[in-house]
Amino acid sequence: LLRFLLHGLCPAFEHAAIFNRNSLLGIDACFDVGANKGQFAVFFRNISNAPIYCFEPLPTAFNFLERHVRLENTQLFPVALGDSLQNLKLHIASSDDSSSFLDISRLQEKVYGVSSGNSSVDVSVCTLQSFLERLHVINGLLKIDVQGFEINVLKGCANLSHFFKYIYLEVSFVPL
């Protein structure tokens, strides 16, 4: 844990209110969609030895993952997941974990102090189905935190939802 803190990564232990070793018994894979710098992956590794598949399209966050988050039985993919194979423009926010395929709204700027530097990067988007077809997952955990693109990720695996024991995603009750 100290190794991650020294690199400025604080594992997301707030998830412990939902998941613990007992609730994750039988989970055979974790899909961390929108992995950012690996906060959830580090948390998950502390309570499960199941394989982790991290998907992060933002180059700076992915580079951090590659350099600092070396977890056993973990694979990193520098792609976004969505509902189709395509390339999309990812808007880079002042706080990289708020970067999104959607435009940054005034409310997001006001409430969270997030701003758009008017910069973006083209990223590859795949479907989760293209990954699941190669794996033998029966009881997976699908974690999605993709700043408003969650429904697109779910559409990209809609007919495969039976592979997941849990689908855990970030939602906002106010349009951002």
Side-chain angles (χ1 to χ4, degrees):
L1 183 59
L2 182 59
R3 160 172 76 109
F4 299 112
L5 292 173
L6 290 173
H7 293 292
L9 174 71
C10 183
F13 287 109
E14 69 270 17
H15 304 292
I18 297 169
F19 296 110
N20 58 46
R21 288 186 196 283
N22 291 331
S23 66
L24 293 179
L25 287 175
I27 293 295
D28 55 8
C30 173
F31 295 84
D32 186 356
V33 182
N36 192 252
K37 294 178 181 163
Q39 300 92 320
F40 187 81
V42 170
F43 162 76
F44 183 83
R45 180 52 71 232
N46 276 296
I47 59 175
S48 176
N49 292 321
I52 303 172
Y53 303 94
C54 294
F55 300 88
E56 178 54 52
L58 186 64
T60 53
F62 185 81
N63 290 339
F64 184 95
L65 273 170
E66 277 193 313
R67 284 193 320 269
H68 302 298
V69 182
R70 295 185 187 104
L71 302 171
E72 282 185 42
N73 205 11
T74 300
Q75 293 182 42
L76 310 176
F77 301 94
V79 298
L81 294 183
D83 55 356
S84 62
L85 301 175
Q86 59 186 315
N87 286 322
L88 288 177
K89 193 170 293 294
L90 182 67
H91 303 284
I92 301 174
S94 57
S95 176
D96 70 0
D97 62 349
S98 293
S99 298
S100 176
F101 291 119
L102 308 177
D103 291 326
I104 295 170
S105 70
R106 288 191 178 136
L107 180 60
Q108 195 175 6
E109 290 175 347
K110 180 180 175 184
V111 174
Y112 297 105
V114 172
S115 63
S116 173
N118 292 327
S119 63
S120 61
V121 62
D122 289 325
V123 299
S124 296
V125 180
C126 301
T127 63
L128 186 54
Q129 181 173 347
S130 63
F131 286 90
L132 284 173
E133 289 172 345
R134 294 181 270 160
L135 304 172
H136 301 288
V137 176
I138 298 170
N139 287 310
L141 165 63
L142 173 59
K143 172 263 181 188
I144 308 171
D145 182 358
V146 290
Q147 306 307 314
F149 207 64
E150 286 81 3
I151 193 70
N152 301 76
V153 174
L154 290 170
K155 286 178 181 178
C157 67
N159 61 343
L160 302 172
S161 60
H162 62 278
F163 286 110
F164 300 107
K165 182 174 182 179
Y166 298 109
I167 298 176
Y168 180 52
L169 58 116
E170 178 184 74
V171 297
S172 174
F173 296 105
V174 178
L176 294 174

